[in-house]
């Protein structure tokens, strides 16, 4: 009979998306789960917001360890003995609120409120000022204009979408499920310009749009001067005809 040391018995498993990993202790599995959770701190992950933690035969569940690490809203039973579901959205929400949230939001979640709307509003305002959540899910356009292209370059994983009347800087999968949009105005292309490379800046400064914006303050003066000159000519012509007394 072959011998098998305890260190090689992996009684704990993590299931996330299409990946399964095994660990020799509950503590090791929790540490690995924390690494996956930390990878979602930026607010972006795929559509699956659940991570499963389960034990095999040979080791009892240390419920005190689990309860000290996850709140009751994050760690949920599955109906299978020794298997738990970790809600990444809720875990991400709780961690963010206690680190960056307002006093009202922190006190509200401690009082047992879900705070999903408040969390979403505060996080979008802090992480992506000027953006809003789009429930209509606009599609990526086929070919962007120069202005739209450079507007989106200032944001990671952003692209240009349209609703047939306006163009938007668009970011998908925020908090695993939301689409964020920000309208592209005539000034949007200088948003986060410092984050772009020098070549992009040079291209922007050479573009027709930018030159038009730089000279736009001259246009009203030209129009006003032309209008005054036209009025003067009309008055002179009327005087010659004797229409003015």
């Amino acid at each position: 009979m072959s011998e098998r040391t305890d260190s090689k018995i992996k009684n704990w498993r993590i299931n996330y998306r299409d990946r399964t990993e095994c660990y020799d202790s509950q503590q090791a599995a929790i540490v690995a789960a924390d690494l996956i959770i930390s990878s979602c701190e930026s607010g972006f992950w795929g559509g699956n917001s659940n991570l499963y933690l389960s034990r095999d035969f040979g080791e009892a569940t240390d419920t005190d360890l689990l309860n000290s690490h996850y709140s009751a809203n994050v760690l949920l039973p599955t109906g299978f003995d020794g298997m738990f579901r970790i809600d990444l959205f809720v875990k991400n929400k709780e961690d963010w609120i206690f680190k960056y949230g307002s006093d009202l939001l922190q006190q509200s979640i401690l009082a047992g409120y879900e705070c999903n709307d408040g969390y979403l509003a505060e996080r979008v305002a802090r992480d992506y000022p000027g953006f809003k959540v789009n429930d209509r899910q606009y599609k990526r356009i086929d070919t962007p204009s120069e202005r739209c292209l450079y507007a989106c370059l200032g944001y990671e994983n952003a692209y240009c979408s349209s609703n047939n009347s306006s163009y938007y800087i668009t970011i998908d999968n925020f908090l695993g499920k939301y689409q964020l949009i920000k309208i592209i105005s005539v000034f949007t292309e200088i948003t986060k310009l410092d984050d772009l490379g020098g070549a992009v800046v040079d291209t922007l400064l050479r573009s027709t749009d930018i030159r038009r914006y730089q000279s736009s303050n001259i246009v009203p003066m030209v129009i006003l001067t032309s209008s005054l000159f036209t009025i003067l000519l009309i008055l002179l012509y009327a005087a010659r005809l004797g229409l003015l007394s």
Side-chain angles (χ1 to χ4, degrees):
M1 178 182 298
S2 62
E3 295 182 358
R4 185 172 62 178
T5 61
D6 291 339
S7 63
K8 294 182 179 180
I9 301 175
K10 297 186 177 182
N11 296 320
W12 284 87
R13 293 188 302 274
I14 287 179
N15 296 89
Y16 180 57
R17 296 181 182 174
D18 57 351
R19 187 170 90 221
T20 300
E21 297 179 354
C22 300
Y23 301 90
D24 56 12
S25 69
Q26 181 177 338
Q27 180 63 48
I30 289 177
V31 170
D34 284 346
L35 291 175
I36 295 175
I37 292 169
S38 66
S39 70
C40 301
E41 288 181 354
S42 64
F44 292 94
W45 60 85
N48 187 352
S49 296
N50 295 311
L51 183 153
Y52 292 91
L53 180 67
S54 60
R55 63 172 174 81
D56 208 341
F57 299 106
E59 185 171 338
T61 302
D62 186 343
T63 54
D64 291 337
L65 178 60
L66 288 176
N67 293 333
S68 66
H69 207 76
Y70 305 110
S71 72
N73 295 323
V74 173
L75 188 70
L76 304 170
T78 62
F80 296 96
D81 185 37
M83 177 178 285
F84 304 90
R85 177 169 63 89
I86 298 174
D87 191 317
L88 291 178
F89 177 84
V90 177
K91 175 62 175 171
N92 194 282
K93 176 181 69 174
E94 291 184 354
D95 290 347
W96 190 93
I97 286 176
F98 290 119
K99 188 173 183 179
Y100 302 109
S102 63
D103 290 339
L104 175 61
L105 203 57
Q106 293 181 16
Q107 294 302 318
S108 297
I109 201 167
L110 287 173
Y113 294 92
E114 290 189 4
C115 299
N116 289 332
D117 293 340
Y119 162 60
L120 180 60
E122 288 193 14
R123 179 145 192 186
V124 171
R126 188 182 191 279
D127 293 1
Y128 291 94
F131 282 77
K132 64 179 182 179
V133 175
N134 179 35
D135 295 329
R136 297 183 180 182
Q137 297 292 311
Y138 296 153
K139 300 296 184 182
R140 180 190 298 262
I141 65 174
D142 181 75
T143 305
S145 67
E146 185 180 37
R147 176 165 58 91
C148 293
L149 175 64
Y150 289 123
C152 296
L153 287 178
Y155 300 89
E156 187 175 0
N157 300 320
Y159 63 90
C160 180
S161 69
S162 175
N163 63 352
N164 296 324
S165 61
S166 300
Y167 293 98
Y168 299 89
I169 304 170
T170 309
I171 300 173
D172 289 334
N173 291 326
F174 185 62
L175 304 182
K177 55 184 175 181
Y178 297 109
Q179 184 184 82
L180 303 182
I181 59 172
K182 181 179 181 180
I183 194 167
I184 299 177
S185 67
V186 294
F187 302 107
T188 303
E189 57 266 45
I190 62 173
T191 301
K192 290 193 174 182
L193 197 58
D194 291 339
D195 295 338
L196 303 180
V200 173
V201 175
D202 292 339
T203 303
L204 277 173
L205 294 177
R206 290 195 301 267
S207 70
T208 302
D209 287 342
I210 291 295
R211 288 198 300 271
R212 187 173 66 250
Y213 303 146
Q214 290 174 334
S215 62
S216 60
N217 59 339
I218 302 175
V219 174
M221 183 62 67
V222 173
I223 294 175
L224 178 61
T225 303
S226 176
S227 299
L228 291 175
F229 184 72
T230 301
I231 293 172
L232 180 60
L233 289 177
I234 293 173
L235 291 174
L236 291 173
Y237 186 71
R240 288 185 61 183
L241 295 177
L243 298 178
L244 296 178
S245 58

